[in-house]
Amino acid sequence: IHHRVKNNLQIIDSLLMMSHLDQPDIELNFMSLSSSDLVRNIYARFESSMKEKNMTGELILGDESTQLLGDEFLLNEVLRQVIDNAVRVSHDGGKIVLRTAVRQNFGIIEIVDNGFGMDDTTIAQIFDRFYRADEARATNSGGSGLGLSISKKIMDLHNGRIEVESLRGKGSLFRLWVPLAGAEKTSKS
């Protein structure tokens, strides 16, 4: 019963978050954020979940001075959703890698897992609301089918994007493109 109540509360939270993000007058709290600190902090939050599954993690941090322009709470939500999915779909003893880099006027954050992976049909639908990649796994793991949809909406609100590359049976790579702090000034010059 406790598990079902917790699952229902998570679904309600997800629905409330999506409703909030859909508001036309939503105000985001944009600030300059350290890409490395953002990734280090979220990684620390998932270390115990990874240890429970005998998983290893690796941080590969690019330029430590990289500053992103974003809403810290919402970017943490995207990272939480993607990493939680990665831990959930990875096999016991699996590995998750978090990488940062800079490309063009964007800070890049990549989350790589060696979990179940997805086929092209799944990839085409993965960001749709209420879509679950594998009904049996999604039901058992408590997924609402909203997490990646919320993540995409948040990235859109940041004028960024979220991409996925995956191979069935090999794992997935999620790539977040977050505008760099100061890029809005340099891109207009």
Side-chain angles (χ1 to χ4, degrees):
I1 291 177
H2 176 72
H3 175 72
R4 286 187 185 191
V5 169
K6 184 178 176 186
N7 185 38
N8 286 339
L9 289 173
Q10 288 172 339
I11 291 170
I12 290 167
D13 285 346
S14 294
L15 288 168
L16 289 171
M17 172 70 84
M18 186 57 82
S19 175
H20 173 70
L21 295 171
D22 281 341
Q23 297 302 309
D25 58 347
I26 185 173
E27 290 187 27
L28 302 182
N29 186 20
F30 283 105
M31 63 180 71
S32 182
L33 303 165
S34 165
S35 176
S36 297
D37 288 348
L38 196 64
V39 169
R40 269 192 209 97
N41 291 339
I42 198 74
Y43 177 82
R45 289 177 53 191
F46 279 91
E47 281 185 300
S48 64
S49 299
M50 290 190 298
K51 284 180 183 172
E52 286 175 17
K53 291 183 75 173
N54 297 312
M55 297 175 68
T56 57
E58 182 178 2
L59 292 176
I60 303 172
L61 303 176
D63 184 350
E64 294 271 340
S65 67
T66 300
Q67 294 291 306
L68 308 175
L69 181 64
D71 182 303
E72 185 173 17
F73 174 79
L74 293 178
L75 289 177
N76 270 306
E77 181 64 18
V78 173
L79 290 167
R80 187 189 67 74
Q81 292 284 355
V82 175
I83 297 169
D84 184 59
N85 284 348
V87 170
R88 233 180 321 143
V89 301
S90 292
H91 309 284
D92 284 357
K95 182 176 184 177
I96 293 179
V97 178
L98 301 177
R99 274 190 298 249
T100 64
V102 174
R103 292 191 200 140
Q104 298 143 2
N105 288 329
F106 292 90
I108 306 297
I109 301 173
E110 294 180 336
I111 300 95
V112 183
D113 69 61
N114 60 354
F116 298 110
M118 298 174 277
D119 57 29
D120 290 341
T121 303
T122 300
I123 291 171
Q125 301 173 72
I126 199 74
F127 297 109
D128 294 347
R129 291 179 188 194
F130 301 107
Y131 181 78
R132 296 189 202 195
D134 179 329
E135 197 62 36
R137 276 199 313 264
T139 302
N140 291 336
S141 63
S144 67
L146 287 170
L148 291 176
S149 175
I150 288 170
S151 296
K152 182 178 182 331
K153 181 70 174 182
I154 291 170
M155 295 310 300
D156 290 346
L157 289 169
H158 279 78
N159 295 317
R161 64 185 185 267
I162 182 170
E163 303 170 336
V164 62
E165 298 173 17
S166 189
L167 290 173
R168 177 64 88 185
K170 299 288 183 186
S172 301
L173 178 151
F174 281 81
R175 183 177 298 116
L176 310 178
W177 294 73
V178 184
L180 293 172
E184 69 283 356
K185 296 173 190 159
T186 57
S187 64
K188 291 179 182 175
S189 321

